[in-house]
Amino acid sequence: MTTSFSETLRNSTWADHQSAESEGYLSALMSGRLSEHDYGEMVAQHYFAYVALDGVSRQLADHPVAGRFVFPELYREPALERDLATIYGQGWRDRITPSKSTRTLVARIHQVADWPGGYVAHHYTRYLGDLSGGQFIRMELQKIYGYAKGGGVDFYFFDELGSLPRFKNDYRSRLDVLGLELDEREQQRLIGEVRLAYQLNTEVLTELRHVVKAAA
């Protein structure tokens, strides 16, 4: 049986995915060892990354290839703004700055905006993670900080999608169709960009280790 492109993509990048999940900051966060403001440090970096990713999505909405992976109901900026206002108050914009690694990630997202495969690679890396493991993170954060819907963990709520499993299956089907349209070289190029996206996102979390040290 021929392996679908979505399966090949997942299998080829699984080790990179696990590396991101095992980062020390997330471990400290999930164990309840960080303050609400320490958690806000990660939310802030997410904000800058999604301003970039959602902005590129809007630019590519009419693209014949990349446009298949543009879903306005996924845009995270409004949710992240509510989360940051809940964590830091209405003056949150003055409290946050992008880290060096976040600036690198944002630069890469913009750099590959004119390459459909590059856009898909970063979109897939972030959003499929948010819709999968991100849901477990949300439930844990609600237990730790007592957040309810409306601010704090709104980033992880995707009510407009309806069934998350159904959406993810549709997304993977779109990846499979895309894979059939790409030659082997371009498939490998896209897989390589996903691995880079995982690395860049992991580096963002790694740079947050100073938060863990300060909380120790």
Side-chain angles (χ1 to χ4, degrees):
M1 180 181 293
T2 304
T3 303
S4 67
F5 183 61
S6 61
E7 290 179 293
T8 298
L9 183 57
R10 182 180 184 275
N11 294 337
S12 299
T13 60
W14 184 246
D16 305 275
H17 173 79
Q18 287 186 308
S19 177
E21 284 194 336
S22 63
E23 219 298 313
Y25 173 87
L26 279 182
S27 298
L29 181 66
M30 292 295 93
S31 65
R33 290 188 284 125
L34 301 183
S35 71
E36 184 180 14
H37 284 187
D38 293 337
Y39 160 58
E41 294 271 359
M42 182 181 73
V43 180
Q45 303 314 311
H46 280 165
Y47 175 75
F48 293 110
Y50 281 91
V51 166
L53 187 56
D54 292 350
V56 170
S57 290
R58 293 184 180 95
Q59 295 170 20
L60 296 176
D62 296 325
H63 191 281
V65 177
R68 303 176 208 166
F69 296 87
V70 174
F71 304 91
E73 58 270 35
L74 283 178
Y75 294 163
R76 294 291 87 194
E77 291 174 58
L80 285 163
E81 290 176 355
R82 290 194 299 274
D83 292 342
L84 287 165
T86 297
I87 296 167
Y88 292 122
Q90 292 306 311
W92 64 268
R93 292 183 187 276
D94 297 325
R95 297 286 303 272
I96 66 172
T97 56
S99 65
K100 180 180 178 181
S101 51
T102 295
R103 291 195 297 270
T104 300
L105 171 61
V106 166
R108 184 59 182 175
I109 290 171
H110 287 301
Q111 186 178 11
V112 299
D114 60 350
W115 167 36
Y119 163 73
V120 171
H122 286 269
H123 194 275
Y124 163 83
T125 301
R126 284 296 339 171
Y127 278 114
L128 263 288
D130 299 334
L131 295 170
S132 300
Q135 298 308 298
F136 170 76
I137 292 175
R138 171 183 60 79
M139 290 185 287
E140 291 302 304
L141 292 176
Q142 286 184 287
K143 295 175 186 175
I144 293 167
Y145 301 110
Y147 293 128
K149 190 180 295 185
V153 288
D154 278 16
F155 169 76
Y156 297 102
F157 282 107
F158 292 88
D159 293 347
E160 293 183 13
L161 295 182
S163 168
L164 297 192
R166 182 169 61 245
F167 179 85
K168 289 191 290 184
N169 286 337
D170 175 68
Y171 194 103
R172 294 187 185 103
S173 295
R174 293 173 188 237
L175 286 173
D176 293 338
V177 171
L178 177 61
L180 293 173
E181 298 170 351
L182 303 178
D183 59 26
E184 177 66 22
R185 178 178 176 276
E186 193 64 13
Q187 285 186 9
Q188 291 304 314
R189 186 183 177 205
L190 193 157
I191 290 171
E193 188 66 28
V194 170
R195 298 190 68 181
L196 175 60
Y198 275 125
Q199 176 187 330
L200 294 176
N201 280 280
T202 300
E203 288 173 359
V204 171
L205 293 174
T206 299
E207 196 168 350
L208 287 171
R209 284 181 179 170
H210 73 278
V211 175
V212 180
K213 292 178 180 178

